[in-house]
Amino acid sequence: MMSHRLPFENRWTNSTHAWEWNCALDRLGVANVRAMFADHELHHPTRLSVTMNIPAGFVRDWLAFHDRRAARQQLLWRATVIALALVAATAAVLDVLIV
């Protein structure tokens, strides 16, 4: 079987289980996993697993990874928009000065 590497630190199990858990959480989606984790923390904080025998710590790390990735994407998007706005403003100023 092919060995997969998780994009975040795994302290909870070996790589095979971790990759299966990662795929299961990916299939559920970030919003659904976040809702299930919130429900787990609110109603059953003493249980070890959140869903499908996936430990709460693994789910917490998975959500943190996705939050960091979303923040990086948003930062990149904002930087791109600011750079394009700066280019457009510079072009407008140069157009006024040259004409």
Side-chain angles (χ1 to χ4, degrees):
M1 180 172 199
M2 182 183 228
S3 177
H4 298 284
R5 187 175 180 321
L6 291 176
F8 57 93
E9 182 182 358
N10 172 30
R11 301 170 292 185
W12 305 101
T13 187
N14 66 27
S15 61
T16 304
H17 277 112
W19 185 253
E20 290 171 2
W21 293 345
N22 183 55
C23 291
L25 294 175
D26 282 339
R27 281 191 298 276
L28 288 172
V30 174
N32 290 331
V33 172
R34 190 176 308 282
M36 289 187 324
F37 184 70
D39 180 64
H40 171 269
E41 291 296 304
L42 184 65
H43 296 109
H44 313 287
T46 57
R47 272 198 218 158
L48 296 178
S49 64
V50 175
T51 181
M52 299 178 286
N53 296 326
I54 301 174
F58 186 86
V59 174
R60 186 179 299 114
D61 292 347
W62 185 85
L63 286 170
F65 163 73
H66 282 280
D67 290 344
R68 287 189 308 271
R69 190 172 76 176
R72 276 193 310 269
Q73 289 174 341
Q74 187 177 34
L75 181 64
L76 180 62
W77 172 253
R78 286 181 180 179
T80 303
V81 168
I82 290 170
L84 291 174
L86 184 61
V87 168
T90 303
V93 168
L94 289 176
D95 187 46
V96 168
L97 292 176
I98 292 175
V99 172

